[in-house]
Amino acid sequence: MGVKKYFFLLLVLLAMNSIYAFANQNIIRVQLTDVKAPYTINIKGPYKAYNYKYESEIISALTNETVMVVENRLGLKVNDVGVYKEGIVFETQDGFTLNGVEYYGSLMFIPYNNTMIVVNELNIEDYVKGVLPHEMSPDWPMEALKAQAVAARTYAMYHILKNANKLPFDVDNTTKYQVYNGKEKMNWSVEQAVDRTRYEIAVYKGKVIATYFSALCGGHTDSAENVFGVAVPYLEGVSCPYCNAQIKPWTNALSYNELNDDLANYSVHASEKSSIGISTDPKSGKATNIKIDDSDIRSRDFRTTLSPRLVPSLNFTIKKVDNGIIITGKGSGHGVGMCQWGAYGMAQVKKDYKEILKFYYNGVDIVDYNRVNKEFEPDVWGN
């Protein structure tokens, strides 16, 4: 083989690998955890359905069609015909409606952990359109929406790369990852925010980051080290004056019996005679550790165990009263990364979306993943 021909073939292979890598990182699989059988599927345009495992065709059509899928103990039945225990893929370019909710992309029923899960496979750009109005009000300023779109896209890309096809889905549609509900709440602002930031993600030293965000930091974002136990350079806490107008104190009370029941695993036996103290972060002022008599509890575990409903953020104090404790604080959410109300405030004073992102994620670059000739890696730090 001649040298020129060899290098030509090498370049073709490299280009094919690059295209393959891009295709993988451009597609996301979302488990729809709240969708239950029976399934009524309306498919807008041409489609085909095939066996998930063997890829043998089950049904196809060129026009709009409603398909019924039901479960029995042997598998799935399509239009009351056949039983498919290996799963089914409904492949379409025009989207579908599932039990009354409209989605982008294709639909898959996949056997996993002795059950049949429902997965929506779609382009990451369409996924961000389905996330944005559920994680931020679609009526907010455009620059805040654009910042949220980049954060949502980056967070999705991070999990696609982190999963690397180990599971049959990359994320689910709940707050465990990001809330996603297809085309619900779609409006012009949402589409514009996603389209104007198309392909843009945040990277730190060339790696895709976990772009955490929360509703209201209460005046200072928190560090990943305090909340997750790992120091992350782009998730350090920053002073945030932009959300001040939204800060409203919250107060909740627990009896000693309720507190002891909730913290039973920490051997807490609190009473009116107990000593209760809080250690705080010197920069953010947020709780880092709770000491009840001889029991030490990390603030993040205290919040999770009592529930975020009772302890909305880590910016709180505890006061003893005769029959229990009163917890008073400000802010909402874990406080790590972008403060959404802070993004709103920054947009109000004419900061653009890149300024917003770089304010909350220290040292990051905003790049177009469609123009970078490389296969990205996620910045995995134990989360």
Side-chain angles (χ1 to χ4, degrees):
M1 179 185 297
V3 173
K4 289 184 179 180
K5 188 174 182 180
Y6 171 81
F7 278 111
F8 173 76
L9 290 174
L10 182 61
L11 288 171
V12 169
L13 289 171
L14 288 172
M16 290 177 64
N17 285 336
S18 177
I19 292 169
Y20 176 74
F22 171 76
N24 278 347
Q25 67 189 21
N26 196 36
I27 299 297
I28 189 166
R29 297 166 302 166
V30 187
Q31 183 185 4
L32 305 178
T33 61
D34 51 348
V35 182
K36 307 298 180 185
Y39 308 104
T40 302
I41 308 163
N42 180 265
I43 303 175
K44 289 185 174 182
Y47 78 94
K48 67 176 180 178
Y50 55 86
N51 186 294
Y52 175 74
K53 183 176 181 180
Y54 299 111
E55 299 188 1
S56 54
E57 187 172 302
I58 296 170
I59 186 174
S60 63
L62 294 175
T63 58
N64 288 359
E65 185 170 337
T66 298
V67 180
M68 293 295 300
V69 176
V70 298
E71 288 183 340
N72 64 25
R73 62 185 181 84
L74 298 177
L76 298 175
K77 298 182 74 175
V78 179
N79 288 344
D80 210 30
V81 177
V83 177
Y84 305 95
K85 63 181 180 180
E86 301 89 358
I88 303 172
V89 176
F90 287 87
E91 187 177 280
T92 173
Q93 299 297 316
D94 300 300
F96 60 93
T97 300
L98 175 62
N99 290 0
V101 178
E102 190 174 357
Y103 294 91
Y104 302 93
S106 296
L107 174 65
M108 301 189 289
F109 298 93
I110 303 173
Y112 176 70
N113 281 352
N114 300 314
T115 189
M116 195 71 71
I117 64 172
V118 184
V119 175
N120 180 197
E121 182 178 79
L122 70 162
N123 182 279
I124 193 172
E125 299 300 319
D126 290 333
Y127 168 75
V128 176
K129 290 179 181 179
V131 166
L132 185 53
H134 298 281
E135 292 290 358
M136 180 175 279
S137 170
D139 299 324
W140 277 18
M142 180 57 65
E143 294 306 307
L145 289 171
K146 287 161 68 177
Q148 184 67 57
V150 175
R153 184 184 296 110
T154 305
Y155 195 74
M157 179 77 75
Y158 171 84
H159 282 286
I160 294 169
L161 298 172
K162 184 181 176 185
N163 181 40
N165 291 319
K166 293 189 288 288
L167 298 177
F169 58 93
D170 302 302
V171 297
D172 68 29
N173 62 337
T174 72
T175 54
K176 181 180 178 181
Y177 296 94
Q178 300 182 110
V179 178
Y180 165 78
N181 202 29
K183 295 186 178 182
E184 187 181 69
K185 294 187 178 181
M186 179 63 60
N187 70 3
W188 180 88
S189 294
V190 169
E191 290 194 295
Q192 288 297 306
V194 177
D195 289 343
R196 292 181 193 181
T197 63
R198 181 175 295 273
Y199 307 136
E200 291 185 341
I201 58 173
V203 299
Y204 182 79
K205 295 185 177 179
K207 291 188 176 182
V208 180
I209 69 171
T211 42
Y212 284 98
F213 52 86
S214 64
L216 178 65
C217 73
H220 202 293
T221 66
D222 215 335
S223 67
E225 184 173 19
N226 187 34
V227 176
F228 304 124
V230 182
V232 182
Y234 52 83
L235 292 177
E236 290 290 336
V238 297
S239 177
C240 174
Y242 300 102
C243 68
N244 286 343
Q246 307 301 327
I247 297 173
K248 297 176 178 63
W250 48 262
T251 299
N252 288 304
L254 280 85
S255 70
Y256 287 122
N257 287 337
E258 291 171 326
L259 182 66
N260 293 337
D261 287 344
D262 287 345
L263 299 178
N265 289 339
Y266 295 92
S267 300
V268 169
H269 303 287
S271 69
E272 59 272 11
K273 296 181 180 179
S274 293
S275 63
I276 300 178
I278 300 180
S279 300
T280 58
D281 181 88
K283 291 182 178 179
S284 68
K286 298 188 178 184
T288 58
N289 191 76
I290 314 300
K291 188 173 178 63
I292 304 176
D293 295 326
D294 295 326
S295 299
D296 283 308
I297 308 168
R298 289 187 175 185
S299 59
R300 63 178 182 270
D301 298 328
F302 181 83
R303 176 176 182 257
T304 301
T305 304
L306 266 59
S307 91
R309 181 181 60 83
L310 287 173
V311 189
S313 79
L314 294 180
N315 197 340
F316 65 86
T317 60
I318 299 175
K319 179 182 178 181
K320 288 175 56 182
V321 293
D322 290 342
N323 299 316
I325 62 171
I326 295 177
I327 307 172
T328 302
K330 57 185 181 179
S332 178
H334 52 64
V336 178
M338 185 173 71
C339 170
Q340 292 174 306
W341 273 108
Y344 176 96
M346 292 185 75
Q348 291 287 75
V349 295
K350 308 303 180 185
K351 302 290 185 182
D352 71 28
Y353 72 102
K354 289 185 179 180
E355 290 178 287
I356 295 171
L357 291 164
K358 292 182 178 183
F359 178 78
Y360 291 108
Y361 306 111
N362 182 50
V364 302
D365 296 309
I366 310 303
V367 302
D368 182 330
Y369 72 77
N370 195 32
R371 294 185 178 182
V372 177
N373 187 25
K374 63 172 286 186
E375 184 174 357
F376 284 104
E377 295 179 10
D379 184 45
V380 179
W381 39 267
N383 56 338

